[in-house]
Amino acid sequence: MVPAAKQRGDPAEQRPRAGRGHYTIFLGMAAGVGKTYRMLLEAHAEQEAGRDVVIGLLETHGREDTAALAEGLPVVPRRRVTYRGTDLADMDLPAILRRQPELALVDELAHSNAPGLEHEKRYEDIEDLLDAGIDVLSTVNVQHLESLNDQVAELSGTRVRETVPDSVLGRADEVVLIDLSPEALLTRLRAGKIYKHERVEAALNGFFRIENLAALREIALRQVAEEVESKRLVTDVVGTREDLAADLPQAVGERLLALVEPYPGAQRLVRRAWRSSQRLGAQLDLLWVAPPGREPDPEQDRQLQALRQLASVLGANLIVEPGDDIPDTVARVARERGTTYILMGRSRPARGPARLRVPLPQRLMEALPGVDVRIVADRSLRHEKAP
């Protein structure tokens, strides 16, 4: 047994149980790279060091090596839930909380729970465990991060439906990248170590194309690099924050404003804007300049609610501001919010007298000389005709 956990310090020397639990996420580029296997190795090392370890939820997906490695670790049985005549088995959160282990393993944190349980999503269950002082090991693939949803769909041709807010990764104490070359992953797939043999051919022709895997690996590497840099910057600031708080101006950081409209392509822009805000260490505001005195039609209202939900998941602020003059309204909101960057989608081609107007980006740059304006490509517009 490889004592993987001891590479980061002897578990027996870790702090006593108090306050919030320690959270480690094993991140991979795709199924089969070894996230769950590595999590189990860590669990055995912790158990051998004398800690009380339990499996809260484990998904082996029929992989014999993974199932074998789980042997010897206590398991909290799943609870049965009946939904619309179907029996479902899911993690028993109350049972784990009653047992109060030192460390719980919770696989596949992006999973949606069976209806009627304490939380809709498994990552919310994990928050309860952490709040109870229980350390947690969990796993996730990079394609489940909300802000990468569009990018992964474009790469693979498959839209991932189960996503988690990127902030879940940000709140983890450790993010461990489980890296495997695309060639090695395909070798494992062909050998039947990821899916059963009857599913291999479809996987090779779908998600597991080598160009997809190479791109996903690059995304995973970049994501972890950004997490490391973010945590380093936070550590640097936290030590002096109280001393400097009185001397620093309130608007010392960057603040990004993304211009949106309630139409389907806006969610792509929001995700791109959120990624940019994270790289800049900036707060993100979303602004829709709504036609005054006009209620959204049913489709606009549906898209507006979708924007609200996405903004809530990503931790952004959605502002709906009525205004006849879009540049003036945007400029006013930008000044009020202390905006330093504006992101906007590519405008649809203007027709008639509107073609003679100065373009919106130029008008914003003239109205806000200290603010950078960036136009974000929206591939969905390739298939739309101008009205």
Side-chain angles (χ1 to χ4, degrees), residues 233-244:
L233 290 173
V234 168
T235 300
D236 289 347
V237 172
V238 165
T240 57
R241 181 173 293 164
E242 293 182 0
D243 296 335
L244 296 178

Side-chain angles (χ1 to χ4, degrees), residues 41 71 95 122 126 164 183 192 218 282 293 295 300 322 334 361 364 372:
L41 284 176
E71 293 180 4
R122 190 170 290 165
I126 291 174
V164 297
E183 293 79 8
E218 181 180 346
E295 291 295 321
Q300 281 184 321
L364 290 176
D372 292 333

Side-chain angles (χ1 to χ4, degrees), residues 142 148 151-152 155 214-224:
V142 72
L148 295 172
Q151 192 173 353
V152 171
L155 284 172
L216 286 169
R217 186 189 192 195
E218 181 180 346
I219 291 170
L221 289 167
R222 188 183 306 119
Q223 181 68 40
V224 172

